[in-house]
Amino acid sequence: FYLTPPQVNSILKANEYSFKVPEFDGKNVSSVLGFDSNQLPANAPIEDRRSAATCLQTRGMLLGVFDGHAGCACAQAVSERLFYYIAVSLLPHETLLEIENAVESGRALLPILQWHKHPNDYFSKEASKLYFNSLRTYWQELIDLNSGETTDVKEALINAFKRLDNDISLEAQVGDPNSFLNYLVLRVAFSGATACVAHVDGVDLHVANTGDSRAMLGVQEEDGSWSAVNLSYDHNAQNGSEVERVKMEHPKSEEKSLVKQDRLLGLLMPFRAFGDVKFKWSIELQKRVVESGPDQLNDNEYTKFIPPNYHTPPYLTAEPEVIHHKLRPQDKFLVLATDGLWETMHRQDVARIVGEYLTGVHHQQPIAVGGYKVTLGQMHGLLTERRARISSVFEDQNAATHLIRHAVGNNEFGTVDHERLSKMLSLPEELARMYRDDITIIVVQFNSHVIGACQNEE
């Protein structure tokens, strides 16, 4: 089944979204110029989510990608709730009091976030009251705990992640008299999601990561070439210190059963995640909740089984690892993406492809034909294709779309092969997942002038 280039483009561009930060009096005071984001589903429905918002009561911008597993319920809940928890964690005591007093007296609330959403990005209206009540309990506790100290961003991020995960767990244990909501909170808690979130405020960039999505900085070297700087570490079996952490938290007798076939308890790929109460609750609690839960929950095989060798829960945490980076003028962009991108592309290639796209400059790599016997005719074909590519490369108005085109369509020579792209995008739903994962990407572009000026002031 062959797709024409316009058909390929309409599939690739279906979920693209761009936001440009408005300029103030001709002086752009934000270190962020704007961002491009996009998603390409492999699962039906897609299990990835994305979020972006400007913090209105504090400075800074929040951006995040969320990768769901065992369904999309948890990723959905985290994508709409986490930024509120982070924003509330960052608010000064007076603002928290103002917000609480407004709720008390029924006045309109100060808006905390300005969301930047694609029309396809769903928000669950039914759960908004429940979600609001949990968030309010959190800020009430923050008011009571007031220590008078300003909150450290790193601490705020860690607290927000842990608190939201705790609320997801609590809501599922308490249940809800409304049967639709009751089923929803249970689905959220029993499914899971990883999260990679960036908070950008002036030259301060914080990345909070839980799981195996990644953040990467694109840096332009003095000779114009591009390099990648990791701003997150995967929490999985490939990360030795993460395996050690898990082992330290459980008795020596469990050492052999903790990580099997590169999975937590032989089942879960990420070693940190939201939800996934199967890896957090005691066996008694799991049984009680499932037995008293709605019938749909009982029919779900996933909720019934207890993981093997389950002796000393919790085995899983949502606590993020936070990395702080001071932005420099040569830091041109940030890529946040779910593992669907990193499974297909090396970060160095991601840095080069996005860097060349944003600057419009192609540093022609010498054509590498690594070990292939290439005839003169084929070489001529490659060069002709390269020339055509330079003229067509800017058909994408969105850096994330441009990256997805490469991730799905690259051939062994590192060029986009239309035939391969067409084949990959025309795979039926039930086959697509065998060849690739959902891909979600946010590319944030930095304002080097503002960053340079901030640096000089400091």
Side-chain angles (χ1 to χ4, degrees):
F1 181 56
Y2 188 77
L3 300 171
T4 63
Q7 287 172 314
V8 163
N9 281 345
S10 73
I11 292 172
L12 287 179
K13 292 169 189 263
N15 297 308
E16 68 178 15
Y17 178 84
S18 291
F19 175 75
K20 296 280 169 276
V21 173
E23 291 199 18
F24 304 96
D25 348 310
K27 294 194 300 289
N28 194 332
V29 294
S30 172
S31 56
V32 175
L33 282 170
F35 69 86
D36 290 340
S37 85
N38 201 351
Q39 291 189 301
L40 183 68
N43 291 295
I46 185 170
E47 294 183 344
D48 278 8
R49 293 292 185 271
R50 58 182 165 178
S51 295
T54 302
C55 300
L56 296 173
Q57 304 304 326
T58 53
R59 296 186 353 199
M61 194 167 198
L62 285 164
L63 306 111
V65 294
F66 311 94
D67 186 350
H69 46 265
C72 59
C74 188
Q76 177 60 45
V78 174
S79 73
E80 47 184 291
R81 301 179 70 179
L82 181 58
F83 286 8
Y84 282 114
Y85 280 72
I86 295 171
V88 162
S89 306
L90 287 167
L91 288 176
H93 187 247
E94 306 74 68
T95 315
L96 287 172
L97 278 174
E98 269 179 64
I99 292 174
E100 177 55 28
N101 292 336
V103 178
E104 280 276 305
S105 56
R107 292 197 315 274
L109 281 187
L110 289 171
I112 298 177
L113 296 173
Q114 177 196 350
W115 290 91
H116 309 299
K117 284 205 294 281
H118 186 281
N120 294 357
D121 294 344
Y122 165 79
F123 254 51
S124 52
K125 308 258 185 305
E126 303 84 4
S128 57
K129 190 161 190 275
L130 171 77
Y131 290 171
F132 177 80
N133 289 338
S134 292
L135 182 68
R136 184 182 178 191
T137 305
Y138 178 41
W139 81 55
Q140 286 170 337
E141 283 175 30
L142 289 175
I143 290 171
D144 294 342
L145 287 170
N146 173 35
S147 56
E149 292 163 27
T150 51
T151 317
D152 170 59
V153 177
K154 179 176 178 176
E155 205 180 319
L157 288 163
I158 292 172
N159 292 343
F161 272 63
K162 285 164 71 174
R163 177 59 182 235
L164 173 57
D165 192 53
N166 196 49
D167 283 353
I168 285 170
S169 171
L170 210 59
E171 287 157 4
Q173 291 172 50
V174 173
D176 196 281
N178 171 329
S179 61
F180 171 82
L181 276 182
N182 195 31
Y183 185 43
L184 176 79
V185 295
L186 289 164
R187 266 185 33 228
V188 168
F190 277 95
S191 59
T194 68
C196 188
V197 170
H199 178 266
V200 194
D201 177 7
V203 292
D204 289 301
L205 166 61
H206 286 84
V207 173
N209 182 51
T210 289
D212 52 10
S213 292
R214 280 184 206 165
M216 180 213 93
L217 201 57
V219 180
Q220 190 164 30
E221 303 300 342
E222 283 182 6
D223 64 356
S225 66
W226 294 94
S227 64
V229 175
N230 270 350
L231 288 179
S232 68
Y233 299 103
D234 294 357
H235 299 132
N236 58 21
Q238 273 65 57
N239 178 342
S241 57
E242 192 63 7
V243 174
E244 279 312 301
R245 176 189 67 81
V246 172
K247 286 182 176 169
M248 291 289 292
E249 291 173 2
H250 299 277
K252 200 144 182 62
S253 55
E254 290 186 57
E255 202 162 355
K256 288 191 167 58
S257 58
L258 279 172
V259 180
K260 278 190 157 169
Q261 287 149 336
D262 280 351
R263 291 167 180 257
L264 189 63
L265 297 181
L267 296 167
L268 198 63
M269 288 279 274
F271 284 17
R272 302 191 195 195
F274 283 91
D276 280 319
V277 292
K278 306 268 341 144
F279 297 86
K280 294 172 181 172
W281 288 356
S282 68
I283 293 175
E284 300 74 52
L285 179 58
Q286 291 191 38
K287 285 187 170 152
R288 179 173 71 71
V289 170
V290 172
E291 280 162 16
S292 62
D295 294 341
Q296 302 112 297
L297 196 68
N298 278 313
D299 301 341
N300 182 341
E301 285 308 305
Y302 182 70
T303 58
K304 275 212 202 93
F305 82 95
I306 301 290
N309 304 303
Y310 197 78
H311 308 297
T312 53
Y315 288 90
L316 189 65
T317 177
E319 179 166 338
E321 194 170 2
V322 180
I323 290 180
H324 173 236
H325 175 84
K326 281 258 188 239
L327 290 170
R328 310 157 301 174
Q330 63 266 38
D331 299 331
K332 300 298 182 188
F333 60 88
L334 170 74
V335 177
L336 297 169
T338 54
D339 62 350
L341 173 69
W342 311 110
E343 282 164 7
T344 59
M345 290 186 86
H346 189 272
R347 64 176 180 272
Q348 203 46 56
D349 295 327
V350 170
R352 182 181 53 79
I353 287 165
V354 175
E356 290 181 355
Y357 169 83
L358 291 176
T359 52
V361 177
H362 281 262
H363 284 274
Q364 290 295 14
Q365 311 279 344
I367 280 197
V369 290
Y372 293 96
K373 285 198 167 64
V374 179
T375 64
L376 209 54
Q378 286 170 312
M379 189 53 123
H380 176 72
L382 277 171
L383 288 165
T384 317
E385 187 190 326
R386 167 183 266 191
R387 201 165 68 214
R389 192 168 85 249
I390 294 170
S391 57
S392 74
V393 71
F394 301 112
E395 61 187 300
D396 289 323
Q397 305 297 303
N398 179 304
T401 308
H402 185 63
L403 204 43
I404 290 176
R405 189 183 297 275
H406 277 269
V408 179
N410 264 5
N411 60 16
E412 62 271 32
F413 302 115
T415 61
V416 175
D417 175 347
H418 179 77
E419 200 170 322
R420 180 182 160 80
L421 198 54
S422 164
K423 279 183 186 155
M424 290 294 280
L425 294 179
S426 60
L427 288 170
E429 277 172 2
E430 60 279 7
L431 277 181
R433 187 61 192 88
M434 292 163 67
Y435 287 91
R436 57 180 181 83
D437 196 355
D438 296 331
I439 300 176
T440 299
I441 301 172
I442 300 178
V443 179
V444 186
Q445 209 180 337
F446 295 122
N447 189 331
S448 306
H449 302 301
V450 169
I451 290 167
C454 290
Q455 258 190 344
N456 296 338
E457 281 170 26
E458 289 185 5

